Amino acid sequence: MRATTRRTTQIRTMAALAIGALALSGCTSDGKAASSTSPSASKPPPAANGTNVAACAAGRCEVQVSASTKIPVPRDTRVDSVQIQSITADTVTVVGRVLGTRSEGLCTGRKCSSSVAGGRFTLQLGPDSTGTENGLSVTVVTITGKTAIIRFGPV
């Protein structure tokens, strides 16, 4: 009788482990792929300032933007204007004009490039990348479809 109880316990333990392994692998018990419809998987957390780009005029903001969005920035950044030129699946292109004749920039992150010509600058940034121009810092937080969440602030 004891051997039967031990064998039953072993079978139950093995069945529980198999079900757990299927759950971790993304499959159901019938071998089909489990669906992933979690709302948080497809939607990033909202930007701190939503779509209110006017918040950027104070010097610091985190906004959700789309292509052609104009961003007001304080003059003490030595940047005159900023606009989102385009958004692709993995890159946000930000263009702007510098104030004065001097321009200083830096680029950090996995996907980041910066160029300046004729007083106009272009930053191409991927997620988790930061570009600076004069006193302005631009960080791409996330890209989702045709929108991106971007953080603007002083350097």
Side-chain angles (χ1 to χ4, degrees):
M1 194 54 111
R2 237 174 128 172
T4 304
T5 303
R6 185 178 303 150
R7 179 78 175 142
T8 302
T9 302
Q10 287 176 338
I11 290 172
R12 286 181 183 160
T13 301
M14 289 173 34
L17 289 172
I19 290 170
L22 285 173
L24 289 174
S25 71
C27 293
T28 60
S29 59
D30 62 359
K32 295 181 182 173
S35 67
S36 173
T37 58
S38 158
S40 62
S42 62
K43 195 173 184 182
N49 299 106
T51 57
N52 181 17
V53 296
C56 300
R60 230 180 252 288
C61 65
E62 182 181 273
V63 290
Q64 180 178 336
V65 297
S66 56
S68 76
T69 302
K70 292 181 182 182
I71 311 297
V73 294
R75 291 185 64 79
D76 63 357
T77 61
R78 299 183 336 269
V79 172
D80 182 38
S81 65
V82 176
Q83 183 171 357
I84 308 304
Q85 186 176 52
S86 64
I87 299 174
T88 65
D90 64 349
T91 306
V92 176
T93 302
V94 179
V95 296
R97 280 211 171 275
V98 296
L99 286 171
T101 58
R102 196 167 162 189
S103 177
E104 299 172 13
L106 178 68
C107 221
T108 61
R110 292 181 292 174
K111 183 169 188 170
C112 189
S113 69
S114 168
S115 63
V116 178
R120 179 182 157 111
F121 68 88
T122 302
L123 298 170
Q124 291 184 314
L125 306 167
D128 299 320
S129 296
T130 300
T132 63
E133 191 58 48
N134 286 350
L136 180 67
S137 172
V138 180
T139 301
V140 174
V141 179
T142 61
I143 301 172
T144 306
K146 297 291 181 184
T147 65
I149 294 177
I150 302 182
R151 191 174 299 127
F152 294 90
V155 175

